[in-house]
Amino acid sequence: MASKRSALPVAACGVLLLGCGAGAGLFAASPRLMTLWLIAALPLLIWLSRATRDGGAPPLEAGPAQPAAQSAQAMQEIRLEHAPLALFRLCGEEAEPLNARARRLVAPGYASEPAALYRQLLRQQNERQWIRFDTERGVERALAASSSLIIDGRQEKLLALLPLESELEAETLRAWQQLVHVLTHEIMNSLTPVASLSRSAGALLAEAAASIPAELGQELDIAFAAISRRADSLADFVASYRSLSALPEPKPEVVSLSGLFERLQALVAPGWRERGGEASFRVEPATLEVRVDAGQLEQALINLIKNAFEATAGQPRARLEVTASPGRGGRLRLEVCDNGPGVAEDRIEQIFTPFYSTKAKGRGIGLALVRQLVNGNGGTVRYARNLGGGARLILTF
């Protein structure tokens, strides 16, 4: 319709020009007739002017409307591309990443098995649900939220995925620190007078030994000694947990990984060789550095190596591998691997929890302390499945 309206004034203009030309030729010899002809053509000129203004080409002010719309669309696409959520389009048996965060999630170096992650996403039925998937840094938990929509008569689902492992880990760690601080404080307040009173009672018993029956004195001495011994043991046990809530603030400095690994190898390698095993340390490239508290990083690695040493006890050829290499996004990646039995699937989520231990006489401090040391230096620690068997812990900074 718009094109027809635009063509009408153009045609009329052509007819008018032809008419003016013909009239000029016919009445060229008579100026009076020429004037009358132009007066007669004046209404047609007025009509043409109005038609051109109302129904012809759009006014000049409307020209930038199309570029403005295109600019707005481009801005929306930029916002979508850099959204802090991983966005996926789910249609039938197909899943398609829609923005940079989603493509990075399934790119090599993040999700260990992108196909398995896609299968999980396609199975999402609820509007909001937690999912777990394997990454190069270990098991990751993420919140998946979806909504259904119909486009061109076809039903599709838009799914937003927000990985929250690091945030959950930090919040959990803070909660445990507060709990441990309160528990240890209250328990120590109760244990101190118990231990003191048991020692005082033992001393009083020794002074009054001559005035009480020997058999009774012996039984009381055994009882007071047992109370004192258990109180001291429990106080020592509680004090070991205080380290989880009373770590000193990190003092970051530039640390050479080659130098750190040389010290660790000199410290632990002889013990592995004595029982027929092997401990190897490798840094690639050799100039790799990281800015952390050197003492705290060393303590975290020693704890992990100690766990590996205990886990591989009885192995005919126990093996430890500690490596350092650059990770994605300029991050440092440290791996501590052994060929022991590894961790059972249903226990992976609990191994960093204070008080939890898979050992018969374990206190559940070692890995909890490792996580706190690493987290305090701006890093993360994950347990990852080792394809060759055994345990594999990954630290990233």
Side-chain angles (χ1 to χ4, degrees):
M1 178 64 70
S3 60
K4 290 181 180 180
R5 292 179 63 189
S6 300
L8 182 61
V10 174
C13 184
V15 171
L16 179 61
L17 290 175
L18 289 174
C20 289
L26 289 174
F27 307 117
S30 176
R32 186 176 179 179
L33 291 177
M34 174 71 74
T35 302
L36 291 174
W37 168 247
L38 292 176
I39 293 172
L42 185 61
L44 181 60
L45 289 171
I46 295 173
W47 172 84
L48 179 61
S49 174
R50 290 178 177 175
T52 303
R53 183 184 60 200
D54 299 335
L60 292 178
E61 293 79 10
Q66 186 174 0
Q70 292 175 349
S71 176
Q73 182 179 358
M75 290 300 296
Q76 293 295 337
E77 291 177 355
I78 291 172
R79 293 189 184 100
L80 176 67
E81 178 69 11
H82 298 284
L85 299 170
L87 299 175
F88 293 86
R89 181 183 70 88
L90 310 180
C91 182
E93 297 299 319
E94 297 181 357
E96 175 190 359
L98 294 180
N99 63 351
R101 182 65 66 92
R103 288 190 295 273
R104 189 160 55 246
L105 198 63
V106 296
Y110 199 95
S112 301
E113 299 180 56
L117 175 58
Y118 280 136
R119 286 194 295 271
Q120 280 203 70
L121 299 182
L122 290 168
R123 288 198 299 266
Q124 294 304 306
Q125 299 296 332
N126 301 328
E127 291 187 357
R128 185 171 298 177
Q129 186 175 350
W130 285 99
I131 68 170
R132 296 171 67 248
F133 58 96
D134 291 331
T135 72
E136 294 297 329
R137 297 192 301 171
V139 177
E140 179 80 52
R141 284 176 293 176
L143 181 63
S146 62
S147 61
S148 298
L149 60 157
I150 296 177
I151 300 178
D152 294 334
R154 183 175 58 178
Q155 185 171 6
E156 295 187 0
K157 184 182 290 185
L158 183 65
L159 186 141
L161 194 64
L162 181 61
L164 291 171
E165 188 67 30
S166 297
E167 288 76 8
L168 288 171
E169 182 179 290
E171 287 299 323
T172 302
L173 186 57
R174 280 193 287 270
W176 274 115
Q177 285 176 330
Q178 293 174 1
L179 176 61
V180 169
H181 176 74
V182 172
L183 287 177
T184 55
H185 179 74
E186 293 301 323
I187 293 173
M188 290 298 289
N189 283 349
S190 300
L191 280 177
T192 301
V194 170
S196 177
L197 286 172
S198 63
R199 285 191 291 269
S200 298
L204 290 173
L205 179 63
E207 293 176 2
S211 61
I212 60 175
E215 185 177 351
L216 177 60
Q218 185 178 7
E219 290 180 358
L220 289 174
D221 185 58
I222 293 173
F224 290 143
I227 293 173
S228 178
R229 190 165 53 250
R230 291 309 306 153
D232 290 339
S233 177
L234 187 55
D236 178 65
F237 179 80
V238 173
S240 65
Y241 281 104
R242 273 189 166 176
S243 61
L244 295 176
S245 59
L247 284 176
E249 285 294 320
K251 297 179 180 178
E253 59 180 307
V254 177
V255 178
S256 166
L257 273 302
S258 294
L260 174 61
F261 279 18
E262 285 177 5
R263 295 193 298 272
L264 289 174
Q265 188 163 23
L267 181 66
V268 305
W272 288 76
R273 286 196 297 267
E274 283 179 6
R275 63 179 189 180
E278 178 187 4
S280 65
F281 293 78
R282 187 175 71 256
V283 180
E284 295 179 355
T287 56
L288 204 57
E289 296 178 333
V290 63
R291 183 174 177 78
V292 294
D293 186 303
Q296 293 188 1
L297 176 58
E298 187 170 339
Q299 183 62 53
L301 291 173
I302 287 174
N303 281 14
L304 294 179
I305 294 169
K306 178 177 177 288
N307 283 353
F309 188 82
E310 294 173 353
T312 54
Q315 290 285 109
R317 296 188 64 181
R319 187 174 67 255
L320 168 74
E321 293 182 5
V322 184
T323 61
S325 59
R328 296 183 66 200
R331 295 178 68 83
L332 170 69
R333 180 187 178 94
L334 299 175
E335 292 193 21
V336 180
C337 307
D338 63 60
N339 62 341
V343 179
E345 182 74 21
D346 58 345
R347 296 185 175 185
I348 291 176
E349 291 188 2
Q350 285 80 38
I351 60 174
F352 294 104
T353 304
F355 314 119
Y356 179 84
S357 177
T358 58
K359 305 171 188 175
K361 297 183 179 180
R363 293 184 175 182
I365 298 176
L367 288 178
L369 182 60
V370 167
R371 185 176 69 166
Q372 187 163 337
L373 289 169
V374 172
N375 189 273
N377 282 274
T380 60
V381 57
R382 300 279 194 277
Y383 180 91
R385 293 175 181 82
N386 199 347
L387 298 179
R392 178 175 169 230
L393 287 112
I394 301 174
L395 288 68
T396 57
F397 293 93

